[in-house]
């Protein structure tokens, strides 16, 4: 199937009354709700650009320097951070990692 044959489809969408859901060709889309978790940086591997966070429940989360909001090099082991839980094929992953320091 080429893109040309896709031009025969009539696609449309309409927002719901509250503006949060879209009805796209009969399919419903609801924005993913993210929950911020908190924890402490357990280990940093600065030369490779990643680290691990232990959350308040004892679970460990991998994070990469690209998921840090701010400067990765300013993070330290033992520092409190907040993060969003992200699914990963390799296990729990932290995204949008932010320092709790003011």
């Amino acid at each position: 199937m080429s893109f040309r044959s896709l031009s025969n489809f009539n696609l449309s969408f309409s927002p719901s009354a509250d503006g949060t859901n879209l009805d796209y060709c009969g399919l419903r889309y609801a924005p993913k709700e993210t929950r911020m978790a908190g924890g402490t940086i357990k280990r940093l591997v600065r030369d490779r650009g990643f680290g691990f966070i232990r959350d308040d429940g004892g679970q460990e989360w991998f994070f990469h320097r690209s998921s840090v909001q701010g400067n990765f090099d300013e993070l330290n082991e033992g520092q409190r951070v907040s993060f969003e839980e992200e699914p990963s094929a390799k296990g729990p992953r932290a995204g949008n990692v932010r320092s709790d320091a003011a």
Side-chain angles (χ1 to χ4, degrees):
M1 181 186 282
S2 70
F3 286 110
R4 254 180 225 195
S5 62
L6 289 176
S7 64
N8 296 332
F9 290 96
N10 182 12
L11 302 176
S12 63
F13 73 92
S14 59
S16 64
D18 63 1
T20 59
N21 295 323
L22 295 178
D23 186 2
Y24 184 77
C25 298
L27 300 175
R28 300 292 291 170
Y29 167 78
K32 178 183 162 189
E33 292 195 23
T34 57
R35 150 186 116 132
M36 293 297 288
T40 305
I41 297 177
K42 177 185 174 192
R43 181 167 181 234
L44 285 172
V45 183
R46 290 191 192 282
D47 59 331
R48 300 204 41 209
F50 68 89
F52 295 91
I53 299 168
R54 177 172 286 154
D55 70 11
D56 298 330
Q59 184 174 358
E60 291 187 14
W61 299 80
F62 169 85
F63 73 96
H64 187 264
R65 75 180 310 128
S66 62
S67 66
V68 174
Q69 302 300 309
N71 189 347
F72 173 80
D73 295 322
E74 291 179 1
L75 296 176
N76 295 302
E77 292 180 4
Q79 182 176 356
R80 290 284 304 168
V81 293
S82 57
F83 61 95
E84 293 177 1
E85 301 172 3
E86 294 182 348
S88 169
K90 295 183 178 181
R93 183 178 178 123
N96 200 17
V97 178
R98 294 180 228 157
S99 171
D100 285 351

